[in-house]
Short mmCIF file of all heavy atoms in Angstrom, two decimals:
data_model
loop_
_atom_site.label_atom_id
_atom_site.label_comp_id
_atom_site.label_asym_id
_atom_site.label_seq_id
_atom_site.Cartn_x
_atom_site.Cartn_y
_atom_site.Cartn_z
N THR A 1 0.88 -1.17 0.00
CA THR A 1 0.00 0.00 0.00
C THR A 1 0.92 1.22 0.00
O THR A 1 1.91 1.24 0.73
CB THR A 1 -0.91 0.00 1.24
OG1 THR A 1 -1.66 -1.21 1.25
CG2 THR A 1 -1.85 1.19 1.24
N GLU A 2 0.59 2.22 -0.82
CA GLU A 2 1.53 3.32 -1.02
C GLU A 2 0.84 4.68 -0.92
O GLU A 2 -0.25 4.86 -1.44
CB GLU A 2 2.16 3.15 -2.40
CG GLU A 2 3.27 4.09 -2.72
CD GLU A 2 3.93 3.73 -4.04
OE1 GLU A 2 4.85 2.88 -4.04
OE2 GLU A 2 3.50 4.28 -5.08
N MET A 3 1.50 5.60 -0.23
CA MET A 3 1.06 7.00 -0.16
C MET A 3 2.26 7.88 -0.47
O MET A 3 3.41 7.47 -0.28
CB MET A 3 0.50 7.32 1.23
CG MET A 3 -0.77 6.54 1.57
SD MET A 3 -1.38 6.90 3.24
CE MET A 3 -1.97 8.58 3.00
N LYS A 4 1.97 9.11 -0.92
CA LYS A 4 3.05 10.01 -1.34
C LYS A 4 2.91 11.41 -0.74
O LYS A 4 1.81 11.85 -0.43
CB LYS A 4 3.08 10.12 -2.86
CG LYS A 4 3.37 8.81 -3.54
CD LYS A 4 3.37 8.94 -5.04
CE LYS A 4 3.70 7.58 -5.65
NZ LYS A 4 3.82 7.64 -7.08
N ILE A 5 4.04 12.06 -0.64
CA ILE A 5 4.10 13.50 -0.33
C ILE A 5 4.52 14.18 -1.62
O ILE A 5 5.49 13.75 -2.27
CB ILE A 5 5.11 13.80 0.79
CG1 ILE A 5 4.67 13.11 2.09
CG2 ILE A 5 5.25 15.31 0.99
CD1 ILE A 5 5.70 13.20 3.21
N GLU A 6 3.77 15.21 -1.99
CA GLU A 6 4.05 15.92 -3.23
C GLU A 6 4.42 17.36 -2.95
O GLU A 6 4.03 17.93 -1.94
CB GLU A 6 2.83 15.86 -4.15
CG GLU A 6 2.46 14.44 -4.54
CD GLU A 6 1.17 14.36 -5.32
OE1 GLU A 6 0.25 15.16 -5.05
OE2 GLU A 6 1.09 13.47 -6.18
N GLY A 7 5.18 17.94 -3.87
CA GLY A 7 5.57 19.34 -3.76
C GLY A 7 5.44 20.03 -5.10
O GLY A 7 5.56 19.40 -6.15
N TRP A 8 5.18 21.33 -5.05
CA TRP A 8 5.05 22.12 -6.27
C TRP A 8 5.22 23.60 -5.92
O TRP A 8 5.19 23.99 -4.77
CB TRP A 8 3.72 21.85 -6.97
CG TRP A 8 2.50 22.31 -6.22
CD1 TRP A 8 1.82 23.47 -6.38
CD2 TRP A 8 1.83 21.61 -5.15
NE1 TRP A 8 0.76 23.54 -5.50
CE2 TRP A 8 0.75 22.42 -4.73
CE3 TRP A 8 2.03 20.39 -4.51
CZ2 TRP A 8 -0.11 22.04 -3.70
CZ3 TRP A 8 1.17 20.03 -3.49
CH2 TRP A 8 0.11 20.84 -3.10
N ASN A 9 5.38 24.41 -6.95
CA ASN A 9 5.56 25.85 -6.76
C ASN A 9 4.43 26.68 -7.35
O ASN A 9 4.07 27.71 -6.82
CB ASN A 9 6.90 26.30 -7.37
CG ASN A 9 8.06 25.78 -6.58
OD1 ASN A 9 8.11 25.94 -5.38
ND2 ASN A 9 8.98 25.11 -7.24
N ASP A 10 3.84 26.22 -8.45
CA ASP A 10 2.78 26.95 -9.14
C ASP A 10 1.44 26.40 -8.68
O ASP A 10 1.04 25.29 -9.08
CB ASP A 10 2.95 26.79 -10.65
CG ASP A 10 1.83 27.44 -11.44
OD1 ASP A 10 0.97 28.12 -10.83
OD2 ASP A 10 1.80 27.26 -12.67
N ASP A 11 0.70 27.14 -7.87
CA ASP A 11 -0.54 26.64 -7.27
C ASP A 11 -1.73 26.67 -8.23
O ASP A 11 -2.79 26.20 -7.89
CB ASP A 11 -0.87 27.44 -6.00
CG ASP A 11 -1.81 26.68 -5.08
OD1 ASP A 11 -1.75 25.43 -5.08
OD2 ASP A 11 -2.60 27.32 -4.38
N GLU A 12 -1.54 27.20 -9.43
CA GLU A 12 -2.66 27.26 -10.36
C GLU A 12 -2.62 26.14 -11.40
O GLU A 12 -3.61 25.47 -11.63
CB GLU A 12 -2.69 28.63 -11.05
CG GLU A 12 -3.04 29.74 -10.07
CD GLU A 12 -3.09 31.11 -10.74
OE1 GLU A 12 -3.31 31.15 -11.97
OE2 GLU A 12 -2.93 32.10 -10.03
N GLU A 13 -1.47 25.93 -12.01
CA GLU A 13 -1.36 24.94 -13.08
C GLU A 13 -0.81 23.60 -12.60
O GLU A 13 -1.02 22.59 -13.25
CB GLU A 13 -0.46 25.48 -14.20
CG GLU A 13 -0.93 26.78 -14.82
CD GLU A 13 -2.28 26.64 -15.51
OE1 GLU A 13 -2.54 25.58 -16.12
OE2 GLU A 13 -3.08 27.59 -15.45
N LEU A 14 -0.13 23.59 -11.50
CA LEU A 14 0.52 22.38 -10.96
C LEU A 14 1.44 21.71 -11.98
O LEU A 14 1.63 20.49 -11.96
CB LEU A 14 -0.53 21.38 -10.46
CG LEU A 14 -1.44 21.85 -9.33
CD1 LEU A 14 -2.46 20.77 -8.99
CD2 LEU A 14 -0.65 22.22 -8.09
N GLU A 15 2.02 22.50 -12.86
CA GLU A 15 2.88 21.95 -13.90
C GLU A 15 4.16 21.34 -13.34
O GLU A 15 4.74 20.46 -13.96
CB GLU A 15 3.23 23.03 -14.92
CG GLU A 15 2.05 23.45 -15.76
CD GLU A 15 2.39 24.57 -16.73
OE1 GLU A 15 3.54 25.03 -16.76
OE2 GLU A 15 1.48 24.99 -17.45
N ASP A 16 4.60 21.80 -12.19
CA ASP A 16 5.85 21.31 -11.62
C ASP A 16 5.63 20.36 -10.44
O ASP A 16 6.51 20.15 -9.63
CB ASP A 16 6.74 22.47 -11.21
CG ASP A 16 6.11 23.36 -10.15
OD1 ASP A 16 4.89 23.29 -9.96
OD2 ASP A 16 6.86 24.11 -9.50
N LEU A 17 4.46 19.76 -10.38
CA LEU A 17 4.13 18.81 -9.31
C LEU A 17 5.10 17.64 -9.34
O LEU A 17 5.32 17.04 -10.39
CB LEU A 17 2.70 18.30 -9.48
CG LEU A 17 2.18 17.33 -8.43
CD1 LEU A 17 1.98 18.04 -7.10
CD2 LEU A 17 0.88 16.70 -8.89
N GLU A 18 5.71 17.35 -8.19
CA GLU A 18 6.68 16.26 -8.10
C GLU A 18 6.40 15.41 -6.88
O GLU A 18 5.96 15.92 -5.84
CB GLU A 18 8.10 16.80 -7.93
CG GLU A 18 8.63 17.59 -9.08
CD GLU A 18 10.06 18.03 -8.84
OE1 GLU A 18 10.97 17.25 -9.20
OE2 GLU A 18 10.26 19.12 -8.30
N THR A 19 6.70 14.13 -6.98
CA THR A 19 6.65 13.27 -5.81
C THR A 19 7.95 13.48 -5.04
O THR A 19 9.04 13.34 -5.59
CB THR A 19 6.52 11.78 -6.22
OG1 THR A 19 5.29 11.62 -6.91
CG2 THR A 19 6.55 10.88 -5.00
N LEU A 20 7.80 13.86 -3.78
CA LEU A 20 8.97 14.12 -2.93
C LEU A 20 9.35 12.90 -2.11
O LEU A 20 10.53 12.58 -1.95
CB LEU A 20 8.69 15.30 -2.00
CG LEU A 20 8.21 16.59 -2.66
CD1 LEU A 20 7.99 17.67 -1.61
CD2 LEU A 20 9.19 17.06 -3.73
N VAL A 21 8.33 12.23 -1.56
CA VAL A 21 8.55 11.07 -0.70
C VAL A 21 7.47 10.04 -1.00
O VAL A 21 6.31 10.39 -1.19
CB VAL A 21 8.48 11.45 0.80
CG1 VAL A 21 8.69 10.25 1.69
CG2 VAL A 21 9.47 12.56 1.14
N THR A 22 7.86 8.79 -1.04
CA THR A 22 6.92 7.68 -1.17
C THR A 22 7.01 6.84 0.10
O THR A 22 8.11 6.49 0.53
CB THR A 22 7.25 6.80 -2.39
OG1 THR A 22 7.25 7.63 -3.56
CG2 THR A 22 6.26 5.68 -2.56
N VAL A 23 5.86 6.55 0.70
CA VAL A 23 5.82 5.71 1.90
C VAL A 23 5.04 4.45 1.54
O VAL A 23 3.92 4.53 1.04
CB VAL A 23 5.15 6.44 3.09
CG1 VAL A 23 5.13 5.54 4.32
CG2 VAL A 23 5.89 7.74 3.41
N GLN A 24 5.66 3.31 1.77
CA GLN A 24 5.04 2.03 1.44
C GLN A 24 4.83 1.20 2.70
O GLN A 24 5.73 1.14 3.55
CB GLN A 24 5.92 1.22 0.48
CG GLN A 24 6.14 1.89 -0.85
CD GLN A 24 7.08 1.09 -1.73
OE1 GLN A 24 7.94 0.36 -1.25
NE2 GLN A 24 6.91 1.24 -3.04
N ALA A 25 3.67 0.58 2.80
CA ALA A 25 3.40 -0.39 3.85
C ALA A 25 3.35 -1.75 3.18
O ALA A 25 2.56 -1.97 2.26
CB ALA A 25 2.09 -0.09 4.56
N ILE A 26 4.21 -2.65 3.62
CA ILE A 26 4.28 -4.00 3.05
C ILE A 26 3.71 -4.96 4.08
O ILE A 26 4.26 -5.11 5.18
CB ILE A 26 5.74 -4.36 2.69
CG1 ILE A 26 6.28 -3.31 1.70
CG2 ILE A 26 5.81 -5.76 2.12
CD1 ILE A 26 7.77 -3.37 1.49
N GLN A 27 2.60 -5.57 3.73
CA GLN A 27 1.88 -6.43 4.66
C GLN A 27 2.39 -7.86 4.54
O GLN A 27 2.20 -8.53 3.53
CB GLN A 27 0.39 -6.38 4.35
CG GLN A 27 -0.46 -7.06 5.39
CD GLN A 27 -1.94 -6.86 5.11
OE1 GLN A 27 -2.32 -6.30 4.09
NE2 GLN A 27 -2.77 -7.31 6.02
#
């Protein structure tokens, strides 16, 4: 199961949206 933290600079277009951290739970 996976969740992410995302970061960006342009709050209107989200053109620079990037995954910063991925957290995985392995059952």
Side-chain angles (χ1 to χ4, degrees):
T1 302
E2 187 173 274
M3 295 178 71
K4 297 179 179 185
I5 297 172
E6 298 173 326
W8 66 97
N9 291 308
D10 176 6
D11 201 30
E12 292 181 24
E13 301 297 324
L14 299 178
E15 291 177 0
D16 61 342
L17 181 70
E18 296 183 88
T19 298
L20 306 181
V21 179
T22 303
V23 180
Q24 297 177 332
I26 302 167
Q27 189 174 5

